[in-house]
Amino acid sequence: MPRPAAQNRPYKELTLQQLRSFAETARLGSLAAAAKALRLTHPTIREQVLALEREFGLKLVTPHGRGCRLTAEGRLLAELVTPVTAAAASLKTRFDELRAQAKVRLVVAGPPRVIQEDLPDAVSTALRAEPRLSLEFLE
């Protein structure tokens, strides 16, 4: 089923929260369990999954007992969505780790006498205090 033109769609574009809600529903087999895991309400999870179904024009989950089952299309989407939501969940931690490893570049410009005679002690102290520091000297 082809997607309607953007201006004709009465709902919003795909969001990370919709994908996260769907992934948790797929993983846990229940909208209520997904709501509890994500600390959202059951109606919120339901609306987000329904919005995904509208976006893709396909049924992704079907009711089953006290939970739900994924359709064939739902299983395929869950396969694609799970790594995306896991990567998004770890984004801040990974960013902080990379930022902590990043080098700090400092360029010092001055006459040769200052660089050779006045700076060595200060440079040694700075490098001990900040091991990520990368120094460059310009005359």
Side-chain angles (χ1 to χ4, degrees):
M1 168 188 220
R3 250 174 62 173
Q7 66 272 17
N8 294 334
R9 291 186 302 178
Y11 48 90
K12 297 178 181 179
E13 292 293 324
L14 184 74
T15 67
L16 179 59
Q17 189 57 48
Q18 290 168 349
L19 297 177
R20 190 176 289 129
S21 294
F22 175 72
E24 280 300 289
T25 299
R27 184 175 74 86
L28 299 170
S30 158
L31 295 169
K36 185 176 180 181
L38 293 172
R39 295 182 178 160
L40 297 170
T41 65
H42 182 278
T44 298
I45 298 294
R46 182 176 174 275
E47 281 305 311
Q48 290 173 347
V49 172
L50 287 173
L52 274 181
E53 290 182 337
R54 287 190 302 265
E55 178 70 21
F56 287 98
L58 299 165
K59 193 79 173 145
L60 301 172
V61 296
T62 57
H64 179 73
R66 295 185 62 108
C68 59
R69 281 191 180 159
L70 297 177
T71 63
E73 291 85 1
R75 283 189 297 278
L76 180 60
L77 183 61
E79 255 182 67
L80 295 170
V81 164
T82 300
V84 172
T85 57
S90 68
L91 181 63
K92 183 176 182 331
T93 302
R94 291 183 59 218
F95 174 73
D96 289 343
E97 288 169 356
L98 289 173
R99 196 170 59 97
Q101 296 171 3
K103 289 284 185 187
V104 176
R105 184 168 176 252
L106 177 63
V107 178
V108 178
R113 189 204 62 78
V114 171
I115 292 172
Q116 294 170 358
E117 296 175 16
D118 297 341
L119 290 181
D121 290 337
V123 167
S124 295
T125 303
L127 289 173
R128 278 193 303 275
E130 182 55 71
R132 299 178 307 143
L133 188 60
S134 167
L135 288 170
E136 182 179 342
F137 297 98
L138 300 175
E139 291 182 25

